[in-house]
Amino acid sequence: MGASQSGPVHMFQDLAYKTGFSIEQIKNLHNRFIYLTQAEDTLRREHLENVSDLALNPIRRQIIEAFFDKRNMGEKEKGCLQEIGFEEFVTVLSFFRPPKPHTVDEEMKNIKKEKLRFLFNMHDTDNDGIITLDEYRRVVEELLSSYEIMGAETAKAITDAAMLEVASVTVGQMGPDEFYEGITFEQFMQILKDVEIETKMNIHFWNLDTRTVQCGK
Amino acid sequence: MASSVYLCLLRAVFLVCFVNPLIQGLSEDESVFQNPHHQQEENLTGLPIVTFKWHHVETPYLVIIWVFVAGLAKLSVVELNHHVISVVPESGLLIILGFILGGIVWGADRAQTFKLLPPTFFYYLLPQIILDASYFMPNKLFFSNLGAILIYAIFGTCWNAATVGLSLWGCYEAGVMGNLDIGLLQFLLFGSLIAAVDPVAVIAVFEEVHVNEVLFILVFGESLLNDGVTVVLYNVFDAFVALGGPRIDAAEIFKGIFSFVVVAFGGSFLGIGFAILLSLLTRCTKHIQIIEAGFVFVVGYLAYLTAEMLSLSAILSITFCGICCQKYVNANMDEKSVTTVRHAMKLLANGSETMIFLFLGVTAIDTEIWVWNTGFILLTLLFVFIYRIIGTFLFTWMLNKFRLVPIEVIDQVVMSYGGLRGAVAYGLAALLDEDKIPEKNLMISTTLIVVYFTVILQGITMKPLVQWLKVKRAAHSDLKLIEKLNNRAFDHILAAVEDICGRIGDNWWTRGWNRFEENYISWLLMKPKARKNRDYLFSIFHKLNLEDAINYVSEGERQGSLAFSRSDEAANVDFKKQFGSEFADVMPNIMVDMSNYELGIEHFSVTSIVKDTIPSVSLDIHGQDRKNAMDDINAHHLLQQHLYRSRKHQHRHKYSRSHFSINQNEDEVQEIFQRTMRSRLESFKSTKMGVNPAKKITKHHKKELTHKMPNGHPDGTGHLYGDEEVEGLCVFLPHLIEAGIENPVFLPDMDSPTHSPPWLMETEAVAPSQRAQRRLPWTPNRLRRLAPMRISTCSTDSFLMADVSLTLEEHEEHSQTDHVEM
């Protein structure tokens, strides 16, 4: 963003307050951002697609999309951005920030919900609040695509089975004329309630690769 | 309650009648037994018909009697736990039972004839428990917490050994224990043998508590891996004691530290080596399937003994052997062998665990070993307890600085409380050399008391403590498949975000390793065929499907149905083989019979009529089968398709040591194969061309049932699925509705459908989705998705599974053909 040039320190503080990162971490991430964008102001999809380690990730498309998804920016509106600034970059990454120690239960619940919301949005590609079978199928297909032997057919079969599993657990008794459309966010939370997402969906933000920073500059 | 008392009595009676005479015969009346025997031989005038040869069988007999007693003990303990008290863990109860048994033996002999001797324990009882623990180790969890586990195992154990030893020595110097012949080194030796948390005790207690997986793996992993440290510390101090204080210099201490590295890593690498050997071996055991399961045990035991021979850590060796080989062995071996291994492993481990705890109790009832020194014993107990807590908190505090998810205080409390000592400590104490350590017996008794205290008292209080502290329990989830899918997606997401941040972190390493493993190690250690199915997700999927199929079959049997014979896969192959020839001539008549009723569309009314006209269940089912097929195909052709040529089954009851299966006839297998291939091809063709061969429909009619409502008339069937319990079966076994009395609404509804589904009118221009639904074959492997059908008839609407069936069947077929081949 434009502000990053004028008063980076001030902006960092702002961001640190907003996202919960430390200033140090923000600085590191900023360096990384500059490296990724080749010193441009905004990050586009191709920048992320160029990350070499990412090339082998079977679900990189979804992950990259998540960075450009407006829903993850804390805004109400839906849709996708074409390019994002540093602020958005950090906001998305903050979903992966480990919760601070001594977080109270209430807050922990919110954190958990936010993280789940992020995952949910990632699967729910058309923004309608429901992960339909087709959407989920695409996810699973991509997920399993690294195993070339397992064809798309198997992936489909597995998806269907998984979907039915969800349906059988979350919906309970359903009238015969009702239609199981897909996983809603509530159901999504329900099926993942035992997975301690708040303790798992975290990565360390220290020890970032500083070598790349120098290359970038 | 009554049964357990009865069992106790039974055991007591058994002991008195059986064991005691034997023992007496063994110890006192030896001559009495011997003499008549000899006399008999000397005065042999003719051929003795029966002779009594106790001494020929004495040792194995006693061993097996004790195994038997241990089995009974386990039985009674489990019964007791079920009905009377569930507060005391099984391990504690077994020890107490051991006290009683030991008392009986002692009462008979005035001496403890039976003891847990260190060689027995280390060579015959311990290995299988460790092998079991490592073979079923959740690898991912283990390796992702390996850092913490190692810290606890290495530094925690050293800390415990040093502090306990030094504190005891300090107290001794202060004069608390009176006059004992123990020096500093001996205290340290004692400290090192009492320091290690015991895997057997930990498994036994924690298995019943169900704490969360991270906590479990931390305690359990520590207990497994600290053996290396214990052995080294023990050996080093043992050597130091032998050397004597003055001759220990810096070089010796350095050698001690170095030997730790060698012992621990040497043992681990040896284990990994044996794991590779085992994996390679199972690659080529296809033709000796019946004994391939044995290799797992033999090689595991070899790993243990070899490490012992090289004075490396045997426990570490067998642990890593189990951990590393599990994946490849499970993939390489036949599914049946895998099951065999699994069960045999559990059997052995459970059995020896029972023996160990029982004998820990029996051993105690012996006046010889008991030396009481209040100061020493109480202080040991206190220090063991206190330093475990301090150590845990100390190391956790350090670890938490680096851990992404800090270990909570509550978990730390449970961890420190879970520091159970067990038979390993006792075994080491019993191994002490009495010449070098005059107070050996005091050490043994103290060790025993520590063991009893931790296993019984801490074991009893563990459950209440865990409940009281509200420790996070292991999450139990029904959602197996989706959970795995999510976990998989998760790993990738985390790795990707790390990549984007440019961090080389855990996920980066994990992924790198996974790729390496996939490309090279799997290639080396796995059968090419197994590699195809190696995907974890798929294996879960496969397993769930198998489970469903089994459930379905047993459910069908429970309801007196032979409906499962409808699918042309393994289950019905047998069935048809057996009954096919007998029914072959009856069937066509029925077919004709039914074709009269067959109106092309209405299945249900026909079913009910058929049900009335044909009394036999099995016939009915076949009828149901064929009836649906009538539109396109005649019964004769169908029968020919479904029934295998009847043969003279002279080979049916042949006994074979190397094969279970009786239908090994080559022709037969060939025929089965050809038939399945043909049907597969047909269904394939039909999917591609949109032609519906009747044979497929026979299996689809259930599908059609469910789809009729959503597609045609969504509102006309509101109460079709009244009763959750029966509806599942009722839907696919309409002819059995009679049995489902609980579901009265069902029948009329089924009998009088007021409409015909639209797609049945269409012949060529079938909408893809609808055709897809009809395609869905109803074979047991479909069951995964059948279960929720009960919930919503419409749910399938979203499952446009036009062609999934093929692949699925193919996979199922794999396993099925395997079965047939067997």
Side-chain angles (χ1 to χ4, degrees):
Chain A
M1 316 280 281
S4 66
Q5 305 302 323
S6 53
V9 178
H10 183 67
M11 194 196 80
F12 288 173
Q13 272 169 349
D14 253 15
L15 272 179
Y17 176 74
K18 248 164 97 179
T19 59
F21 284 115
S22 72
I23 302 232
E24 187 66 25
Q25 284 168 331
I26 301 253
K27 268 182 197 155
N28 282 337
L29 288 176
H30 189 65
N31 287 338
R32 179 69 185 169
F33 182 77
I34 288 172
Y35 169 73
L36 283 176
T37 56
Q38 309 291 329
E40 285 176 43
D41 276 354
T42 53
L43 182 78
R44 288 187 303 278
R45 283 180 176 78
E46 62 259 30
H47 289 144
L48 288 182
E49 274 153 16
N50 287 339
V51 178
S52 60
D53 285 328
L54 212 55
L56 286 169
N57 201 315
I59 52 171
R60 63 184 170 281
R61 185 191 59 83
Q62 301 170 33
I63 295 158
I64 292 175
E65 274 315 305
F67 275 88
F68 299 92
D69 194 329
K70 279 188 191 164
R71 287 172 296 175
N72 293 334
M73 312 298 172
E75 295 165 31
K76 287 279 172 266
E77 51 188 318
K78 296 169 176 179
C80 284
L81 297 165
Q82 287 312 309
E83 47 181 32
I84 55 167
F86 179 59
E87 190 180 340
E88 284 84 5
F89 181 69
V90 177
T91 314
V92 172
L93 284 180
S94 70
F95 282 103
F96 294 90
R97 189 174 55 81
K100 292 209 170 73
H102 313 300
T103 319
V104 285
D105 281 356
E106 196 59 33
E107 214 170 317
M108 204 59 134
K109 254 184 209 153
N110 279 334
I111 292 174
K112 182 170 180 168
K113 201 170 170 180
E114 269 171 32
K115 288 184 189 246
L116 282 175
R117 176 63 82 176
F118 180 86
L119 285 183
F120 184 80
N121 288 345
M122 193 179 248
H123 291 338
D124 177 25
T125 40
D126 64 356
N127 298 341
D128 62 353
I130 287 174
I131 304 176
T132 58
L133 182 70
D134 275 339
E135 283 168 342
Y136 200 59
R137 243 183 212 176
R138 221 169 308 137
V139 176
V140 176
E141 250 167 62
E142 280 178 15
L143 194 60
L144 298 176
S145 61
S146 55
Y147 295 87
E148 63 287 337
I149 315 144
M150 293 215 328
E153 305 295 322
T154 320
K156 259 186 203 164
I158 290 179
T159 322
D160 296 348
M163 208 56 170
L164 276 187
E165 221 176 48
V166 177
S168 69
V169 171
T170 52
V171 183
Q173 194 76 31
M174 204 180 188
D177 50 343
E178 282 177 75
F179 182 82
Y180 188 66
E181 292 169 33
I183 309 170
T184 64
F185 183 59
E186 279 67 37
Q187 290 165 357
F188 193 71
M189 288 211 292
Q190 195 188 338
I191 55 177
L192 287 176
K193 68 175 186 297
D194 290 330
V195 184
E196 289 161 358
I197 202 103
E198 67 273 19
T199 61
K200 280 185 184 156
M201 195 172 128
N202 299 323
I203 65 168
H204 284 292
F205 280 98
W206 37 264
N207 212 356
L208 296 181
D209 190 352
T210 44
R211 173 187 56 85
T212 55
V213 174
Q214 269 125 38
C215 295
K217 277 185 175 169
Chain B
M1 176 92 190
S3 65
S4 60
V5 172
Y6 171 73
L7 272 169
C8 287
L9 272 177
L10 190 80
R11 207 189 44 255
V13 169
F14 161 79
L15 271 170
V16 173
C17 312
F18 226 106
V19 178
N20 282 352
L22 292 183
I23 293 158
Q24 278 160 7
L26 167 79
S27 50
E28 293 161 23
D29 312 332
E30 226 162 70
S31 53
V32 184
F33 274 103
Q34 206 108 38
N35 285 343
H37 188 65
H38 280 295
Q39 276 165 11
Q40 218 172 25
E41 267 178 39
E42 281 159 19
N43 309 339
L44 206 62
T45 51
L47 185 73
I49 294 178
V50 181
T51 51
F52 187 71
K53 298 181 186 171
W54 164 242
H55 287 277
H56 285 244
V57 292
E58 183 187 325
T59 317
Y61 208 99
L62 283 178
V63 168
I64 215 67
I65 286 289
W66 271 111
V67 171
F68 183 61
V69 171
L72 288 182
K74 178 91 176 175
L75 181 67
S76 54
V77 159
V78 169
E79 287 292 317
L80 207 65
N81 246 356
H82 266 252
H83 300 296
V84 192
I85 30 161
S86 47
V87 282
V88 187
E90 269 175 35
S91 47
L93 274 179
L94 279 172
I95 290 185
I96 294 169
L97 210 65
F99 290 156
I100 301 169
L101 286 179
I104 295 172
V105 173
W106 196 81
D109 279 7
R110 293 283 132 206
Q112 191 49 268
T113 336
F114 302 101
K115 280 187 209 175
L116 184 58
L117 295 175
T120 320
F121 171 70
F122 283 113
Y123 295 144
Y124 303 116
L125 293 176
L126 189 60
Q128 54 263 45
I129 297 180
I130 308 293
L131 185 63
D132 170 74
S134 57
Y135 192 77
F136 294 101
M137 176 75 76
N139 273 356
K140 195 184 160 202
L141 194 62
F142 178 75
F143 283 109
S144 58
N145 289 296
L146 191 61
I149 292 171
L150 282 178
I151 296 274
Y152 289 123
I154 296 172
F155 296 104
T157 310
C158 289
W159 156 268
N160 276 350
T163 48
V164 170
L166 287 174
S167 307
L168 281 176
W169 179 68
C171 292
Y172 169 69
E173 289 293 301
V176 183
M177 297 172 203
N179 205 8
L180 284 176
D181 189 10
I182 305 186
L184 171 61
L185 282 175
Q186 281 146 346
F187 271 117
L188 284 173
L189 178 59
F190 177 69
S192 67
L193 71 86
I194 205 90
V197 176
D198 184 71
V200 186
V202 165
I203 304 169
V205 169
F206 273 73
E207 217 167 43
E208 294 177 34
V209 186
H210 304 296
V211 291
N212 63 68
E213 48 181 18
V214 175
L215 179 56
F216 177 74
I217 205 72
L218 285 179
V219 180
F220 180 48
E222 178 199 349
S223 71
L224 272 181
L225 296 193
N226 67 14
D227 169 73
V229 184
T230 317
V231 168
V232 175
L233 283 179
Y234 181 83
N235 287 342
V236 166
F237 284 116
D238 203 34
F240 282 175
V241 169
L243 272 176
R247 284 166 58 195
I248 298 168
D249 50 17
E252 297 294 329
I253 293 173
F254 180 76
K255 262 156 70 183
I257 295 169
F258 184 67
S259 85
F260 160 73
V261 178
V262 173
V263 167
F265 285 91
S268 311
F269 282 119
L270 192 72
I272 293 172
F274 273 99
I276 293 172
L277 173 76
L278 180 57
S279 309
L280 285 175
L281 202 62
T282 49
R283 266 188 74 149
C284 40
T285 49
K286 196 182 162 208
H287 299 292
I288 46 165
Q289 243 167 38
I290 217 77
I291 63 163
E292 71 182 347
F295 281 121
V296 178
F297 300 95
V298 172
V299 175
Y301 196 43
L302 263 183
Y304 187 87
L305 288 183
T306 314
E308 192 72 47
M309 180 178 77
L310 301 173
S311 73
L312 303 172
S313 167
I315 293 189
L316 279 182
S317 171
I318 199 169
T319 300
F320 277 93
C321 181
I323 287 178
C324 296
C325 78
Q326 50 170 258
K327 181 176 174 188
Y328 310 105
V329 166
N330 281 339
N332 283 342
M333 285 196 312
D334 187 70
E335 218 160 285
K336 280 179 184 145
S337 309
V338 174
T339 316
T340 311
V341 169
R342 199 170 291 168
H343 284 260
M345 198 87 93
K346 288 288 171 212
L347 167 78
L348 287 174
N350 236 312
S352 7
E353 195 187 286
T354 310
M355 294 286 283
I356 288 173
F357 284 119
L358 195 70
F359 270 94
L360 271 180
V362 171
T363 313
I365 312 299
D366 186 4
T367 40
E368 270 176 38
I369 57 164
W370 284 107
V371 180
W372 190 262
N373 181 318
T374 318
F376 187 80
I377 289 173
L378 287 186
L379 280 172
T380 309
L381 268 181
L382 181 75
F383 289 143
V384 162
F385 192 69
I386 298 254
Y387 286 120
R388 166 81 189 171
I389 295 177
I390 296 177
T392 309
F393 276 81
L394 188 72
F395 292 112
T396 315
W397 176 75
M398 295 202 296
L399 274 173
N400 274 350
K401 291 196 174 283
F402 300 98
R403 272 182 80 90
L404 200 54
V405 189
I407 300 165
E408 286 167 37
V409 182
I410 291 174
D411 286 0
Q412 294 176 41
V413 173
V414 175
M415 273 183 69
S416 24
Y417 204 70
L420 308 174
R421 275 34 170 209
V424 172
Y426 167 74
L428 289 176
L431 271 181
L432 289 173
D433 187 354
E434 205 153 357
D435 299 333
K436 284 185 271 181
I437 297 141
E439 302 288 352
K440 176 186 172 185
N441 277 343
L442 176 62
M443 288 188 182
I444 293 185
S445 14
T446 314
T447 311
L448 278 177
I449 289 195
V450 172
V451 170
Y452 299 147
F453 180 82
T454 53
V455 172
I456 300 178
L457 281 182
Q458 285 180 214
I460 291 172
T461 42
M462 181 64 85
K463 223 177 208 171
L465 182 81
V466 165
Q467 277 160 358
W468 180 65
L469 287 175
K470 295 198 184 74
V471 176
K472 271 188 211 145
R473 299 300 192 90
H476 177 74
S477 171
D478 302 328
L479 295 158
K480 293 178 186 120
L481 201 55
I482 192 130
E483 193 182 298
K484 304 294 176 214
L485 278 175
N486 275 324
N487 285 347
R488 175 73 66 88
F490 226 67
D491 293 342
H492 286 304
I493 293 172
L494 290 186
V497 174
E498 278 198 354
D499 290 338
I500 289 173
C501 297
R503 173 167 192 268
I504 298 186
D506 312 337
N507 292 309
W508 189 88
W509 288 109
T510 319
R511 194 190 42 194
W513 163 255
N514 282 343
R515 258 177 220 152
F516 173 73
E517 199 261 358
E518 214 166 276
N519 291 338
Y520 301 103
I521 303 185
S522 291
W523 172 80
L524 180 70
L525 298 180
M526 263 195 209
K527 274 185 199 171
K529 191 183 152 214
R531 242 175 288 150
K532 259 183 215 166
N533 296 334
R534 82 199 136 157
D535 187 84
Y536 185 56
L537 274 174
F538 181 73
S539 68
I540 295 271
F541 181 57
H542 178 68
K543 218 181 285 168
L544 290 174
N545 275 333
L546 272 186
E547 242 169 59
D548 271 346
I550 291 168
N551 283 345
Y552 166 54
V553 169
S554 55
E555 179 78 0
E557 277 170 346
R558 202 167 57 80
Q559 307 228 349
S561 151
L562 293 166
F564 55 87
S565 63
R566 235 177 335 179
S567 67
D568 56 347
E569 313 223 357
N572 80 330
V573 168
D574 281 342
F575 172 77
K576 282 180 179 154
K577 258 184 218 307
Q578 282 167 13
F579 297 99
S581 48
E582 286 104 74
F583 284 69
D585 44 348
V586 189
M587 221 91 88
N589 301 335
I590 299 158
M591 297 302 132
V592 176
D593 233 355
M594 283 188 313
S595 59
N596 296 337
Y597 295 110
E598 184 64 36
L599 302 174
I601 306 153
E602 292 300 341
H603 312 292
F604 316 119
S605 48
V606 171
T607 317
S608 56
I609 298 163
V610 168
K611 194 166 54 207
D612 293 334
T613 49
I614 299 159
S616 155
V617 180
S618 84
L619 290 186
D620 184 6
I621 284 138
H622 281 272
Q624 173 72 14
D625 234 9
R626 307 303 186 275
K627 168 190 56 60
N628 287 316
M630 276 309 143
D631 325 61
D632 310 298
I633 222 162
N634 64 39
H636 178 73
H637 177 61
L638 214 121
L639 276 175
Q640 202 189 29
Q641 249 198 342
H642 275 263
L643 297 178
Y644 298 99
R645 252 169 257 133
S646 62
R647 289 185 176 79
K648 299 215 186 305
H649 295 292
Q650 68 269 59
H651 59 283
R652 173 148 288 170
H653 300 293
K654 207 163 76 183
Y655 169 79
S656 163
R657 198 173 298 141
S658 52
H659 300 289
F660 282 120
S661 128
I662 40 175
N663 295 322
Q664 199 68 21
N665 192 318
E666 291 253 328
D667 297 346
E668 215 158 344
V669 175
Q670 194 62 26
E671 191 188 340
I672 292 167
F673 178 73
Q674 276 172 359
R675 277 178 193 281
T676 36
M677 279 316 285
R678 198 188 308 146
S679 65
R680 191 123 298 123
L681 264 174
E682 256 167 47
S683 71
F684 180 72
K685 238 188 288 170
S686 66
T687 335
K688 283 275 179 270
M689 330 277 286
V691 186
N692 296 338
K695 194 171 159 289
K696 272 292 143 183
I697 301 179
T698 58
K699 295 196 279 171
H700 298 168
H701 75 281
K702 186 262 157 177
K703 216 53 204 183
E704 291 167 11
L705 286 187
T706 44
H707 282 286
K708 185 176 280 185
M709 329 356 169
N711 286 333
H713 303 260
D715 35 8
T717 50
H719 41 286
L720 188 57
Y721 303 93
D723 189 323
E724 266 257 288
E725 279 304 303
V726 270
E727 66 198 8
L729 266 167
C730 288
V731 177
F732 26 91
L733 311 174
H735 51 284
L736 274 181
I737 285 160
E738 231 175 16
I741 309 149
E742 312 96 293
N743 197 4
V745 236
F746 194 90
L747 203 57
D749 232 7
M750 287 304 225
D751 276 345
S752 54
T754 51
H755 51 269
S756 54
W759 71 85
L760 283 177
M761 307 306 193
E762 300 159 0
T763 43
E764 286 307 306
V766 192
S769 71
Q770 287 167 351
R771 208 186 72 223
Q773 288 149 8
R774 304 186 64 184
R775 270 290 63 74
L776 191 77
W778 188 61
T779 50
N781 61 5
R782 260 290 106 72
L783 263 159
R784 196 76 310 244
R785 49 208 72 203
L786 286 180
M789 297 284 170
R790 285 175 258 166
I791 295 153
S792 163
T793 51
C794 308
S795 57
T796 41
D797 219 15
S798 43
F799 295 85
L800 320 166
M801 25 193 42
D803 28 15
V804 191
S805 54
L806 269 177
T807 7
L808 241 194
E809 273 189 2
E810 228 143 54
H811 284 293
E812 191 68 12
E813 178 62 17
H814 271 301
S815 65
Q816 299 294 6
T817 30
D818 284 352
H819 285 303
V820 175
E821 275 167 22
M822 264 302 286

